[in-house]
């Protein structure tokens, strides 16, 4: 996005610092013809890049109880019982299910929290993240 600012008695429009007209106007305040000039100075705002997103996935296993998976989804991914049950059943039937999409740091934190919580409760539940 460009902003334009008009200045009187200054350098010619879009003149760079190495342009001879810029040096003349800067030294004397006026161009060679003796009349005042008007210039446009542009400010460029840098575009911010959107952060990469990562999917947090839960993997199915034969030992972790379904109720525990629902509890994890409610606790760490703020899902209600219905949404958590739906994701849990998807994991149960397809072997993998998406818990959410987050920036790298948040996804990494959630994976660590889920893995630590599962280990603390002696379940082999696996949680991973992948770039979207």
């Amino acid at each position: 996005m460009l902003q334009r600012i008009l200045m009187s008695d200054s350098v010619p429009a879009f003149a760079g610092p190495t342009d001879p007209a810029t040096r003349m106007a800067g030294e004397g305040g006026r161009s060679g013809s003796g009349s005042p000039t008007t210039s446009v100075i542009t400010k460029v705002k840098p575009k911010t890049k959107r952060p990469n997103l990562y999917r947090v996935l839960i993997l199915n296993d034969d030992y972790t109880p379904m109720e525990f998976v629902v509890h994890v989804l409610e606790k760490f991914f703020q899902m209600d019982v219905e949404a958590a049950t739906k994701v849990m059943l998807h994991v149960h039937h397809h072997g993998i299910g998406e818990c959410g999409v987050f920036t790298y740091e948040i996804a990494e934190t959630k994976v660590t929290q889920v893995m630590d919580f599962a280990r603390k409760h002696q379940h082999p539940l696996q949680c991973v993240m992948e770039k979207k």
Side-chain angles (χ1 to χ4, degrees):
M1 168 144 347
L2 294 174
Q3 284 183 331
R4 293 185 177 197
I5 303 169
L6 293 175
M7 297 180 66
S8 175
D9 290 324
S10 180
V11 294
F14 301 108
T18 58
D19 187 356
T22 304
R23 285 188 298 228
M24 261 199 308
E27 294 167 2
R30 299 199 182 263
S31 66
S33 65
S35 63
T37 60
T38 303
S39 67
V40 177
I41 299 175
T42 59
K43 289 185 181 179
V44 178
K45 290 187 179 180
K47 288 261 185 181
T48 54
K49 183 182 167 200
R50 292 182 93 35
N52 292 327
L53 296 177
Y54 292 80
R55 298 170 60 204
V56 176
L57 307 168
I58 286 188
L59 308 177
N60 190 33
D61 63 72
D62 294 333
Y63 303 102
T64 305
M66 293 180 181
E67 294 80 14
F68 183 78
V69 176
V70 170
H71 179 66
V72 164
L73 293 168
E74 290 173 338
K75 180 177 177 81
F76 297 106
F77 299 97
Q78 288 73 44
M79 293 186 186
D80 57 19
V81 177
E82 293 80 21
T85 303
K86 185 176 179 180
V87 171
M88 178 272 299
L89 288 172
H90 186 273
V91 171
H92 183 70
H93 293 295
H94 297 95
I96 193 166
E98 183 178 288
C99 305
V101 179
F102 309 96
T103 59
Y104 180 82
E105 292 81 9
I106 294 173
E108 185 178 43
T109 301
K110 292 205 179 272
V111 167
T112 302
Q113 288 174 332
V114 169
M115 295 292 287
D116 290 346
F117 189 72
R119 296 298 164 267
K120 181 180 173 187
H121 291 87
Q122 300 177 349
H123 294 295
L125 182 65
Q126 293 292 306
C127 186
V128 296
M129 60 189 252
E130 71 175 24
K131 194 169 187 175
K132 187 168 183 176

